[in-house]
Amino acid sequence: MGEMVTIGRRSFLKITAAAGGGLLIGFYLPARASGSGGRASDATAAFTPNAWIRVGTDDVVTLMVASSEMGQGVMTAIPMLAADELDADWSKVRIETAPAAREYFNPLIGQQLTGGSTAVRAFWMPVRQAGATARAMLLDAAAATWRVPVVECRTDTGAVIHRTSGRRLSYGALAHRAATRPVPKSVALKDPSEFRFIGTPVPRVDTPAKVVGAAVFGQDVRLPGMLTALVLRCPVFGGKLAGFDASAALAVAGVRQVFAIESGVAVVADGFWPAKVGRDALHVHWNEGAHAGLSSVLIERRFQAAALRPGAIARSLGNADAAEARSARKLDAIYEVPYLAHACMEPMNCTADVRADSCEIWAPTQAQTGAQRTAAKITGLAEERIKVHTTFLGGGFGRRSEQDFVAEAVQISKSVHAPVQLLWTREDDIQHDFYRPATYNRLSAGIGTHGALVSWRHHIVGPSIFARVFPESVKNGIDRTSVEGAADLPYAVPNIRVTYVLDDPGVPVGFWRSVGSSQNTFVTECFLDEIAHALGKDPYQFRRQLLKKHPRHRAVLDLAATNAGWGSPPPAGRHRGIAVAGSFGSYVAEVAEVSVSEHGKVRVHRVVCAVDCGMVVNPDTVVAQMESAIVYGLSAALADEITIKDGRVQQSNFDNYPVLRMDSMPEIEVHIVRSTEPPGGVGEPGTPPIAPAVANAVFTATGKPVRRLPIRLG
Amino acid sequence: MIQLYVNGNQYSVDIDPGTPLLWVLRDTIGLTGTKYGCGIAACGACTVHVDGEPARACVTPVSSVAGKHITTIEGLSKDGGHPLQHAWIVEEVPQCGFCQSGQIMTAAALLARNPRPTDTDIDDAMSGIICRCGTYQRIRRAIRRAAQSKVKEE
């Protein structure tokens, strides 16, 4: 069959001459096509594991996407990388979603997982190399066919052309021969000036399916004989099932089975509605466990007590304690942020079909490797026996990197010996999330005799995400996600001390769009405004002065300030606030234009965003992701809060967990810095600056600093 | 047996009359373009047209729409040709896309009764439909675009 070659350190490519006579490079061909969810018919091309790129004799170029499409445009961006180096004809490109397989591991994460705004950063080199390798072999095949030197040949839009004679062979016509050519040991990648797709607003490939209702999300999977399951879970975190009476539930027409699983009681029925009616009829007793008395008030007190502990050192520069002690003037403040739910538009769900010797999963998941491992553990099957089909994700935001919904679906299918679609209600989704950590922050700053900021101390108390998902990474008491956006404070302060007390009240926590920076940037950027205010300095100019050694921060700050008209008076009744942050390899500054009504209602009218995300793959996607990240962060800044009482989440649905709607939507304008730096992330970096930009505008409007989210005045 | 007319087709369904229309569409008839997002008429992802008026399928008992004409996203146009669907593509509105059926159906009902909506009309009509990806600005643009193209046609 094929031969394995190594190009670079990480990119393993397998070349196979296949039955249909196509050229196959890289990744794997799944059973399911992307888009409408139809089946990939592939009579003219190869079918063999391990391929990023397949060239069919019909000129169709199939490009694989190993990252989950959750709205961030990755299903368009990654194929653009391969297509560009391949000089493909975009109109002949077909895109497929990859299955769970080692070949698709995200090299920055070490498993197949879409998160941390890494997709383009991780696949920027390997996918381009895969495209360039395919192109080189097609060139070689054409040169051999024409018996001319390769240097006399060039590629253009899905074909090789002989420069001197003008002869032309399409990639499809060359596929058979290309599959027999030796794999080049190294290939040259294009200079950015030669890019044809990268850097251009190629229309998203998933849009047509999404405007006609044809895109298949997790909840849209339909299998022959499929049953629907809902699970009743203990409302108290950590509580266990003590007993249940299923008789009333089983009396509901359409309910098939009711039984206990690890997380609660499963009700399996012929569709959602009978499952829901059956679940509502259950009588269940819980052993509520150690957290039955937990409340938001107790959590705050607990954090206050924990804040008395010294904490682990996340960053120490100079001697902040001594510098503050001898400073002419001191400022201090307590900042607090709440737990937050993700509230993806598509509630959690998963479809599983467990058989004696196999298990198939259809899931809107960010974590294919995790799904595979979870199912392998429950079924006892080898990981290779677990097939994972990634559907479209109705939002992800970090929530879909978890495996709770996969585990439930697999357990239930295994018990009922049938394909089962596990659905969560919105109430399940809000009340059984892995929440953005609540944190308690003590800040202090020392001001020197000439008004210089001489010391900065930031003491963070809160639970750790990594302590649950990746405990070995928590070293010396530091979870780096708990201190990101705080320990990496970019400002030129000679004495800095950032400390962290890991304190977990028992509410499960997880990755939420921009993770630690989602809260830490609010804290640091608002406290910096407090300092600027105390010194009588303009918040923008104050930042500029302190960012001399951080030109990328400074450039986005300048770009946002200039376009927002910083320095000129804002429209009557409005106030501006500014914030900047680097996260996930990118830099974003935002200026918010805000009004505060006499009743204390905050309205955001306009947001000007400037982003430096290095080289841009798709500029319209970057703009869309900034818009999206800002709106997501605005909901958190203005409205969202998960509160706990009697060990239970008090919010349950969009009526009491309100999110931003169109009538509160500001005008957003996005400016992109031209850059030749390697790509940075774009899914998350737009979120951190928005809450502090808005809070700082409110501070300007009211004269009172905002030290707690969501912003509530009066 | 309840008689339903969905996207011009007639269905007879034997089902608990209290079952929300949403689950009849999704689980009985097999039209999955209409989404479940909240179950309490708070997010609008399940918006369909009942006799031309927008309705939240998740709280509409199927018995209440017996004999009425229901249109879902799948039946809004032939081959995605509605001016709004076209405008949605041109403006690159969808991100995750999960709410977009509800957005488009709501916008279609708006344009049907108000072909030239003001910005306030658009915000008023569309604020019932949640998008967690934050595509609201592009939705506004797409509705304006579709309204203009419709006016040009007339």
Side-chain angles (χ1 to χ4, degrees):
Chain A
M1 283 284 287
E3 53 176 321
M4 284 295 285
V5 296
T6 305
I7 293 175
R9 289 205 333 262
R10 286 201 176 107
S11 166
F12 298 95
L13 303 179
K14 191 173 183 181
I15 310 296
T16 308
L23 166 71
L24 194 73
I25 295 189
F27 307 74
Y28 169 86
L29 172 68
R32 248 186 131 76
S34 68
S36 62
R39 201 153 275 270
S41 69
D42 220 2
T44 59
F47 182 90
T48 291
N50 285 337
W52 277 117
I53 297 169
R54 236 170 37 249
V55 180
T57 52
D58 57 357
D59 286 334
V60 170
V61 170
T62 304
L63 303 176
M64 303 298 287
V65 182
S67 311
S68 306
E69 178 57 69
M70 48 188 165
Q72 83 282 40
V74 74
M75 186 180 269
T76 307
I78 299 296
M80 282 171 69
L81 303 179
D84 209 318
E85 294 291 348
L86 180 58
D87 263 347
D89 177 352
W90 190 254
S91 69
K92 300 261 172 66
V93 164
R94 187 173 67 187
I95 292 160
E96 289 181 6
T97 304
R102 183 161 282 275
E103 295 90 321
Y104 298 119
F105 277 18
N106 176 324
L108 294 180
I109 297 177
Q111 51 175 292
Q112 195 174 339
L113 191 149
T114 308
S117 298
T118 57
V120 163
R121 289 188 284 165
F123 294 113
W124 172 249
M125 291 306 285
V127 170
R128 287 174 63 210
Q129 274 167 347
T133 302
R135 176 177 169 273
M137 293 171 74
L138 288 158
L139 273 168
D140 192 25
T145 305
W146 294 322
R147 297 175 195 278
V148 299
V150 170
V151 290
E152 291 181 10
C153 302
R154 65 182 179 89
T155 56
D156 184 18
T157 321
V160 181
I161 293 151
H162 184 225
R163 290 173 202 274
T164 44
S165 69
R167 280 175 292 180
R168 184 180 182 282
L169 280 170
S170 74
Y171 286 176
L174 290 164
H176 279 291
R177 180 160 249 173
T180 68
R181 305 307 294 172
V183 180
K185 286 199 173 57
S186 67
V187 287
L189 297 180
K190 283 184 176 178
D191 181 84
S193 64
E194 301 170 283
F195 289 153
R196 291 170 52 221
F197 302 119
I198 297 170
T200 69
V202 172
R204 288 179 65 128
V205 297
D206 49 344
T207 304
K210 287 178 175 177
V211 301
V212 297
V216 174
F217 294 87
Q219 68 171 222
D220 304 332
V221 171
R222 293 290 177 268
L223 302 172
M226 186 183 89
L227 300 170
T228 305
L230 268 69
V231 173
L232 187 64
R233 301 167 193 84
C234 183
V236 177
F237 296 117
K240 296 284 176 211
L241 184 65
F244 66 101
D245 175 1
S247 51
L250 285 165
V252 173
V255 170
R256 301 279 193 105
Q257 292 188 47
V258 177
F259 52 92
I261 62 168
E262 208 180 306
S263 63
V265 181
V267 178
V268 182
D270 300 326
F272 175 91
W273 192 246
K276 171 76 165 51
V277 174
R279 190 177 79 165
D280 290 346
L282 276 176
H283 295 283
V284 175
H285 301 289
W286 304 107
N287 177 357
E288 294 189 351
H291 300 310
L294 196 65
S295 71
S296 291
V297 174
L298 290 177
I299 291 168
E300 187 173 5
R301 278 190 211 145
R302 189 190 156 115
F303 282 167
Q304 285 166 352
L308 300 175
R309 307 210 300 266
I313 297 167
R315 182 172 174 195
S316 182
L317 177 70
N319 188 335
D321 294 357
E324 189 178 305
R326 61 170 186 269
S327 63
R329 189 175 170 192
K330 287 169 211 165
L331 295 172
D332 58 74
I334 303 293
Y335 278 78
E336 290 171 277
V337 297
Y339 291 107
L340 293 173
H342 296 80
C344 304
M345 279 317 299
E346 181 187 21
M348 297 303 107
N349 66 80
C350 179
T351 305
D353 185 6
V354 179
R355 310 212 172 179
D357 59 350
S358 71
C359 169
E360 277 193 79
I361 292 168
W362 292 259
T365 176
Q366 294 177 244
Q368 290 78 8
T369 306
Q372 209 172 24
R373 288 175 182 165
T374 299
K377 216 170 167 183
I378 293 166
T379 59
L381 296 166
E383 280 177 28
E384 312 83 71
R385 306 297 301 165
I386 315 291
K387 265 180 142 178
V388 179
H389 308 273
T390 306
T391 64
F392 280 116
L393 284 63
F397 313 122
R399 177 61 179 91
R400 288 193 151 97
S401 62
E402 303 292 347
Q403 296 303 326
D404 50 343
F405 50 94
V406 175
E408 288 180 344
V410 172
Q411 285 173 38
I412 297 166
S413 174
K414 188 185 172 199
S415 286
V416 301
H417 305 292
V420 170
Q421 180 162 83
L422 167 82
L423 294 174
W424 285 34
T425 63
R426 173 60 60 193
E427 290 80 7
D428 298 339
D429 192 81
I430 299 279
Q431 302 194 320
H432 298 277
D433 201 347
F434 294 88
Y435 303 87
R436 197 285 303 274
T439 69
Y440 179 92
N441 303 262
R442 196 173 65 213
L443 287 104
S444 57
I447 311 295
T449 42
H450 300 293
L453 176 57
V454 295
S455 71
W456 173 281
R457 295 197 304 165
H458 184 177
H459 189 53
I460 303 168
V461 179
S464 157
I465 301 166
F466 271 2
R468 173 177 63 88
V469 301
F470 194 18
E472 58 275 23
S473 77
V474 180
K475 293 206 174 91
N476 303 318
I478 296 291
D479 171 347
R480 66 170 177 78
T481 71
S482 303
V483 300
E484 66 190 3
D488 48 342
L489 188 82
Y491 299 111
V493 186
N495 302 285
I496 296 176
R497 184 176 170 89
V498 180
T499 45
Y500 172 56
V501 176
L502 195 168
D503 188 67
D504 183 4
V507 177
V509 293
F511 302 104
W512 187 98
R513 196 173 197 169
S514 80
V515 198
S517 291
S518 77
Q519 72 264 11
N520 288 326
T521 300
F522 161 69
V523 173
T524 57
E525 284 293 279
C526 286
F527 190 56
L528 196 83
D529 254 44
E530 288 198 46
I531 298 168
H533 182 78
L535 294 174
K537 292 186 177 171
D538 175 83
Y540 160 53
Q541 294 297 340
F542 186 54
R543 283 177 172 79
R544 265 197 118 246
Q545 285 295 315
L546 296 173
L547 287 171
K548 284 179 183 159
K549 288 185 178 164
H550 291 272
R552 296 180 77 182
H553 284 81
R554 204 167 148 156
V556 290
L557 191 72
D558 287 344
L559 189 59
T562 304
N563 284 288
W566 193 277
S568 68
R574 297 190 190 176
H575 304 271
R576 294 195 188 103
I578 193 166
V580 62
S583 63
F584 307 94
S586 293
Y587 304 83
V588 179
E590 285 159 14
V591 174
E593 211 171 270
V594 169
S595 65
V596 180
S597 78
E598 56 182 310
H599 307 295
K601 185 169 165 45
V602 174
R603 183 169 178 94
V604 182
H605 300 271
R606 181 181 179 221
V607 176
V608 177
C609 168
V611 52
D612 171 3
C613 57
M615 262 185 286
V616 170
V617 175
N618 189 320
D620 190 60
T621 300
V622 173
V623 171
Q625 282 310 292
M626 293 304 123
E627 293 167 356
S628 175
I630 287 166
V631 173
Y632 202 71
L634 273 177
S635 285
L638 299 174
D640 294 356
E641 180 173 28
I642 289 292
T643 57
I644 311 292
K645 198 182 172 204
D646 299 329
R648 294 153 162 83
V649 169
Q650 291 182 282
Q651 292 70 30
S652 57
N653 206 319
F654 291 120
D655 54 346
N656 51 25
Y657 193 76
V659 297
L660 195 90
R661 293 171 180 270
M662 194 184 280
D663 54 4
S664 302
M665 175 72 185
E667 287 298 319
I668 297 175
E669 61 178 76
V670 178
H671 302 270
I672 303 174
V673 173
R674 278 176 174 274
S675 172
T676 53
E677 298 285 337
V682 297
E684 293 166 277
T687 296
I690 191 59
V694 171
N696 288 338
V698 172
F699 180 29
T700 303
T702 64
K704 285 182 193 160
V706 175
R707 292 172 175 165
R708 190 179 184 128
L709 293 179
I711 299 169
R712 288 198 179 115
L713 305 179
Chain B
M1 281 288 185
I2 296 169
Q3 302 289 317
L4 293 176
Y5 297 91
V6 182
N7 301 334
N9 299 314
Q10 188 180 346
Y11 298 88
S12 298
V13 295
D14 180 14
I15 201 159
D16 170 5
T19 305
L21 172 61
L22 174 64
W23 301 107
V24 176
L25 293 172
R26 291 184 54 82
D27 290 350
T28 311
I29 297 176
L31 292 170
T32 56
T34 307
K35 306 302 183 192
Y36 166 75
C38 74
I40 60 165
C43 82
C46 66
T47 303
V48 297
H49 296 173
V50 176
D51 287 344
E53 290 298 315
R56 303 294 169 91
C58 75
V59 293
T60 303
V62 65
S63 56
S64 73
V65 294
K68 296 190 179 176
H69 287 269
I70 296 147
T71 307
T72 70
I73 186 72
E74 291 93 341
L76 181 66
S77 67
K78 278 193 176 158
D79 307 325
H82 190 284
L84 282 165
Q85 289 168 317
H86 177 71
W88 244 245
I89 290 173
V90 175
E91 296 293 346
E92 292 270 25
V93 173
Q95 290 188 28
C96 91
F98 190 80
C99 72
Q100 299 298 343
S101 298
Q103 304 280 6
I104 291 170
M105 294 307 285
T106 306
L110 166 68
L111 291 191
R113 67 169 187 272
N114 179 1
R116 306 180 74 168
T118 64
D119 289 357
T120 309
D121 293 339
I122 293 173
D123 280 12
D124 287 349
M126 302 303 296
S127 287
I129 321 296
I130 294 172
C131 172
R132 284 291 273 160
C133 299
T135 63
Y136 301 125
Q137 181 159 294
R138 290 170 186 243
I139 291 172
R140 283 176 180 154
R141 285 208 292 260
I143 294 173
R144 284 185 216 124
R145 175 182 286 275
Q148 277 162 13
S149 73
K150 271 195 148 179
V151 169
K152 267 184 209 161
E153 276 173 25
E154 284 158 9

